[in-house]
Amino acid sequence: MPTGKLQVLLVSAKGLQDSDFFTKMDPYVTITCRTQEQKSNVASGQGSSPEWNETFVFSVSGEVEELVIKIKDSDVGSEDDLVGEAKIPLATLFVEGNIPPTPYNVVINDEFCGEIKVGLQFIQEDTNEDGYHQHGEEGNFGGWKESSY
């Protein structure tokens, strides 16, 4: 069971199907790791080849098999359109610790609709044999040293 921090570098996407007819779409991404979800900035007017270069950090503990990335088109006055999604398996990351920015297939309705480039890093948190987290400095328990008692 890996425990630690998952760092996601959202770089860019290309070859996406533009969901807007008269203007370029305004894509953004939601990244989901189990129950945690984070949202990127909207790449206004960048159409089918957006660039974000944003970093997100998730806390990982327990069984986490994949990262789900959904690309959506921000629409004013109507519901945002789903452009596609990518599912990234994390087993290799937990062994390697780092995966440089790599293109992953974006699909919608089981059909390829572009690529998204994402880099991943896993920073493992040490646990002792009892399963408790070790923080390096013995006796550092939430500021008790600063207590006035």
Side-chain angles (χ1 to χ4, degrees):
M1 266 194 302
T3 300
K5 300 288 182 201
L6 170 60
Q7 186 171 315
V8 180
L9 172 61
L10 174 64
V11 179
S12 61
K14 67 178 185 179
L16 302 176
Q17 300 296 319
D18 203 329
S19 62
D20 287 344
F21 296 108
F22 301 111
T23 61
K24 288 188 174 184
M25 68 178 171
D26 305 310
Y28 69 93
V29 168
T30 58
I31 304 172
T32 306
C33 181
R34 286 189 71 181
T35 60
Q36 303 168 67
E37 184 174 278
Q38 296 187 41
K39 180 182 169 187
S40 74
N41 290 318
V42 175
S44 295
Q46 292 192 29
S48 60
S49 297
E51 291 187 16
W52 292 280
N53 294 310
E54 293 182 51
T55 301
F56 304 89
V57 178
F58 295 90
S59 294
V60 175
S61 62
E63 294 298 317
V64 180
E65 295 180 5
E66 66 184 8
L67 198 65
V68 178
I69 299 177
K70 291 185 180 183
I71 304 173
K72 297 182 178 181
D73 174 23
S74 178
D75 288 328
V76 178
S78 65
E79 190 174 328
D80 293 351
D81 301 315
L82 177 65
V83 176
E85 73 176 23
K87 293 184 179 181
I88 302 173
L90 297 176
T92 302
L93 174 67
F94 295 141
V95 172
E96 301 288 326
N98 188 34
I99 298 175
T102 304
Y104 296 92
N105 288 343
V106 175
V107 297
I108 190 164
N109 301 324
D110 294 325
E111 289 188 28
F112 175 83
C113 62
E115 292 180 344
I116 189 161
K117 187 181 278 190
V118 177
L120 302 170
Q121 182 176 17
F122 179 66
I123 301 145
Q124 186 154 358
E125 193 172 278
D126 294 329
T127 56
N128 63 20
E129 60 274 0
D130 297 325
Y132 294 103
H133 301 292
Q134 293 178 298
H135 296 286
E137 199 176 307
E138 199 166 324
N140 184 8
F141 296 105
W144 70 268
K145 291 179 182 179
E146 289 82 22
S147 175
S148 61
Y149 295 106

